[in-house]
Amino acid sequence: MATRSVYDTELKKIDHSVYIMGTEVENAIDKMIFAFRNKSDALAADIMKNDDRIDKMETEIEEDCINIVVKESPIASDWRKIASYMRMTSDMERIADNCSDIAIYIRKISDYKEEIEEPKGLDEMFGIMRGMVRDTFESFQQGDVVLASSVIDEDDVVDQYFEKMNKEIGELMKQHSEHIQQYIDFILINKYIERMADHSANIASWVKFVVRGELDLKFTDRYAKESQKK
Amino acid sequence: MRVNDNTIRADEDLYEMQADRIDKSLEKDADHTDDSTASRVSEKFSVKDLNLHYGTFHALKDVSIDIDTNAITALIGPSGCGKSTFLKTLNRMNDFEEGIKIEGSVQLDGQEIYDRAMNPIELRQRVGMVFQQPNPFPKTIYDNVAYGPRIRGIHKKSELDEIVEKALTEVGIWDEMKDRLKKSALGLSGGQQQRLCIARTLAVSPEVILMDEPTSALDPISTMKIEDLAMELKKKYTIVIVTHNMQQANRISDKTAFFLLGELIEYGKTSDIFLNPKNKKTEEYITGRFG
């Protein structure tokens, strides 16, 4: 006989809220990429306006998680889920914040008096990061650890792009020194995309924890590895 | 403002010293990890292919399990799953049950406890038991604790006094009992009675303490006190506890065994069982989906 039906309903409600928050985050990214490609000031402003909604979702999920911990003391896979949701939603909220951060620069770029030569690889980098986020949420919905692992691996590709883009923007700065101020905006956008990919990989590692109960330690040692480089 | 070069160098030295200290402490941690993996925990009990029948009822089916020394092992499972039956096989408390048939091997420190050579009385002195309902004898507090030692032939008052004080101190109630040792044990609260029963078990210097739902009749504060006591006692004794309280098993035990319909379904480190159980039935039981 099935027991704990109230508890199960509450857990499902949280599952659903995380799913909806994921959809909202994906929408924000799509809007942001569209706004970047079209230099749409209005759409960029809309992304920033909508950020509050996503913040609120995170807070509500966090409250629901805390309540269920206090009331039901979840253990085993239930606990892995709740503990992970609290971390995942924080990364999701940061991705949404990064959309708004980029939106600020899209608005600045749309105000440029004259057109400048844009860094070419940025659009491609947007595409890879977008794919990572899509796969992350797909892996979450399907409990697909193989897909989650591939997202984590793909973060290295974005990191390489980030370095490549910095060089490309640096070259453009040299060639068009009169637009250095504008290119700084692109450098910041480049950094935000790289951060979004990091958050996406973080979420993917939590998906693996929910499904398998194993913590992917790749992210805990990334700065240690970075410190070895010269 | 320009910062003096010497200041920068001094800061750099300080940071280097701090980094050195961190590196050394990390190395030390790594050494500790190696130590703990190297020193393997020995088994107090080694049970192999244990089968137990009550008449036609097959109560334990091919149970094999090693119980670690100086650790708390929790036995969990729904009512009637065989966990209390299993507990009783560890000190032959089942011997007097009618129509009982036990097959397989149960070794205590490598010695077969169902061998003719094993004296069950001596076994129960080595493997004591605490029950669900506190069951002090209708005697004084002192006589309850001194009961076992007297049976074992200790009659000298000074010796008994020492045993009683030591046992009551070990269970943390000496200070509250020392002035009322001649009062009836039946006048104590449930929590105090249960600790007295544990003291009574300790008075005969056992090696193992079996606890059959020792806190199910107690209030939360008394429960916490018994749990704290169990954690303290495991330094000297091996403890096996049957509990229906998942949080309790999670809080105090080092290893957990999940029984279902007489079978040992899953056995492992408590942290693994409660975070990431391997068996679906274990998961369903501990999360309250059945049982």
Side-chain angles (χ1 to χ4, degrees):
Chain A
M1 190 188 78
T3 53
R4 304 195 83 178
S5 59
V6 175
Y7 173 48
D8 282 336
T9 309
E10 283 174 8
L11 269 179
K12 275 191 191 129
K13 185 188 154 217
I14 301 176
D15 288 343
H16 186 68
S17 304
V18 176
Y19 171 78
I20 296 292
M21 185 175 172
T23 312
E24 284 287 330
V25 170
E26 285 197 275
N27 281 341
I29 298 172
D30 287 338
K31 266 191 204 170
M32 183 271 291
I33 294 175
F34 189 85
F36 177 80
R37 284 176 182 155
N38 297 287
K39 307 295 173 288
S40 165
D41 179 77
L43 196 54
D46 188 54
I47 293 164
M48 292 160 69
K49 213 171 97 190
N50 197 44
D51 186 56
D52 275 357
R53 255 165 63 98
I54 295 175
D55 289 351
K56 204 166 157 254
M57 284 177 163
E58 186 205 6
T59 311
E60 282 170 2
I61 292 170
E62 212 166 58
E63 275 172 10
D64 287 345
C65 286
I66 291 169
N67 279 337
I68 210 164
V69 167
V70 172
K71 280 199 306 190
E72 306 283 358
S73 304
I75 44 179
S77 62
D78 295 345
W79 168 243
R80 299 204 303 272
K81 211 182 231 188
I82 295 299
S84 301
Y85 283 179
M86 292 178 81
R87 298 295 298 266
M88 279 163 72
T89 48
S90 161
D91 277 304
M92 284 154 78
E93 189 270 333
R94 294 309 304 274
I95 292 177
D97 279 352
N98 290 152
C99 284
S100 292
D101 291 329
I102 294 176
I104 292 171
Y105 292 100
I106 293 172
R107 298 190 74 187
K108 278 181 79 179
I109 293 168
S110 70
D111 272 352
Y112 292 169
K113 297 284 180 285
E114 47 185 315
E115 272 203 18
I116 63 163
E117 186 186 345
E118 285 194 14
K120 291 182 184 59
L122 219 46
D123 197 56
E124 213 169 319
M125 199 168 154
F126 268 126
I128 296 171
M129 177 274 291
R130 177 68 186 94
M132 276 179 75
V133 175
R134 186 184 306 113
D135 287 349
T136 298
F137 290 126
E138 177 78 16
S139 73
F140 163 64
Q141 284 160 35
Q142 307 297 333
D144 185 340
V145 284
V146 177
L147 190 57
S149 294
S150 77
V151 170
I152 294 168
D153 291 341
E154 208 160 6
D155 186 49
D156 291 342
V157 178
V158 175
D159 288 346
Q160 285 161 15
Y161 254 92
F162 171 70
E163 295 297 342
K164 200 176 117 191
M165 288 311 305
N166 272 346
K167 277 186 194 137
E168 189 186 331
I169 299 168
E171 283 304 315
L172 288 169
M173 282 173 155
K174 279 183 207 159
Q175 287 163 27
H176 308 283
S177 54
E178 72 281 13
H179 294 309
I180 278 187
Q181 197 55 50
Q182 284 89 332
Y183 284 122
I184 290 173
D185 295 342
F186 282 100
I187 284 182
L188 290 167
I189 290 175
N190 187 31
K191 184 65 193 165
Y192 288 128
I193 302 172
E194 189 264 339
R195 290 302 297 142
M196 290 166 90
D198 282 348
H199 290 303
S200 185
N202 282 348
I203 298 170
S205 67
W206 286 110
V207 169
K208 286 177 73 176
F209 180 65
V210 171
V211 180
R212 287 257 176 91
E214 294 157 9
L215 277 173
D216 193 318
L217 295 176
K218 185 178 171 178
F219 274 78
T220 59
D221 66 358
R222 63 189 288 262
Y223 289 114
K225 274 187 198 157
E226 198 66 30
S227 74
Q228 307 293 321
K229 293 182 192 165
K230 261 284 177 219
Chain B
M1 190 185 77
R2 267 188 71 106
V3 183
N4 184 320
D5 276 357
N6 286 338
T7 318
I8 295 175
R9 259 196 298 277
D11 281 351
E12 278 175 352
D13 287 348
L14 182 68
Y15 291 140
E16 225 161 84
M17 271 166 61
Q18 285 174 342
D20 267 0
R21 213 176 306 148
I22 292 167
D23 283 347
K24 274 182 194 143
S25 105
L26 286 174
E27 274 166 27
K28 220 158 103 190
D29 283 352
D31 289 350
H32 279 303
T33 318
D34 289 348
D35 279 350
S36 63
T37 22
S39 61
R40 291 197 52 203
V41 188
S42 64
E43 298 117 33
K44 194 70 188 167
F45 278 106
S46 182
V47 178
K48 295 232 158 39
D49 304 322
L50 178 68
N51 280 280
L52 186 146
H53 291 82
Y54 289 120
T56 54
F57 180 62
H58 198 171
L60 291 175
K61 299 169 187 165
D62 297 320
V63 174
S64 293
I65 185 172
D66 288 335
I67 290 171
D68 295 342
T69 307
N70 294 117
I72 301 179
T73 302
L75 311 179
I76 61 168
S79 300
C81 69
K83 55 191 187 303
S84 289
T85 301
F86 173 73
L87 191 76
K88 288 182 203 157
T89 60
L90 299 179
N91 72 345
R92 293 183 50 178
M93 288 288 277
N94 286 325
D95 278 12
F96 307 108
E97 304 272 353
E98 232 171 273
I100 199 163
K101 193 173 92 186
I102 298 171
E103 294 158 335
S105 159
V106 182
Q107 291 185 352
L108 172 62
D109 287 335
Q111 193 186 358
E112 198 63 57
I113 69 166
Y114 283 92
D115 254 9
R116 278 175 192 278
M118 173 62 79
N119 175 351
I121 310 243
E122 191 191 312
L123 171 71
R124 286 176 208 131
Q125 176 265 309
R126 290 174 67 189
V127 185
M129 194 156 191
V130 177
F131 299 88
Q132 183 175 4
Q133 280 293 340
N135 55 353
F137 302 134
K139 291 171 177 286
T140 65
I141 293 163
Y142 185 97
D143 286 344
N144 262 275
V145 184
Y147 193 86
R150 276 183 182 135
I151 285 183
R152 293 184 66 215
I154 301 171
H155 295 289
K156 206 171 153 194
K157 191 173 177 301
S158 60
E159 215 174 319
L160 285 173
D161 285 354
E162 200 181 312
I163 291 171
V164 170
E165 179 174 346
K166 190 167 166 257
L168 290 175
T169 305
E170 262 191 296
V171 300
I173 53 172
W174 169 249
D175 284 337
E176 46 192 300
M177 298 294 147
K178 64 183 176 198
D179 298 325
R180 48 199 284 206
L181 293 172
K182 297 293 168 197
K183 297 246 167 73
S184 168
L186 301 179
L188 300 175
S189 72
Q192 286 171 327
Q193 285 188 5
Q194 192 62 303
R195 286 203 274 172
L196 177 68
C197 292
I198 297 173
R200 190 175 61 192
T201 308
L202 300 183
V204 292
S205 309
E207 297 158 38
V208 182
I209 306 168
L210 308 178
M211 297 181 164
D212 195 356
E213 295 185 55
T215 61
S216 62
L218 304 182
D219 63 86
I221 300 287
S222 305
T223 298
M224 287 300 164
K225 284 181 179 168
I226 298 287
E227 287 184 9
D228 285 352
L229 175 61
M231 304 277 278
E232 194 56 37
L233 292 176
K234 79 167 181 178
K235 292 174 191 161
K236 280 176 71 181
Y237 310 93
T238 298
I239 297 175
V240 187
I241 180 170
V242 165
T243 180
H244 277 290
N245 182 335
M246 294 303 105
Q247 267 73 38
Q248 181 170 75
N250 200 356
R251 270 194 299 267
I252 67 169
S253 70
D254 301 282
K255 282 194 171 174
T256 296
F258 171 58
F259 284 80
L260 183 66
L261 300 170
E263 284 178 70
L264 175 63
I265 302 293
E266 190 166 351
Y267 177 50
K269 268 173 68 185
T270 296
S271 52
D272 291 341
I273 298 270
F274 283 91
L275 182 65
N276 193 14
K278 300 281 171 280
N279 191 289
K280 197 168 170 282
K281 285 281 171 208
T282 316
E283 167 99 29
E284 284 176 353
Y285 177 71
I286 63 173
T287 57
R289 261 64 180 222
F290 87 94

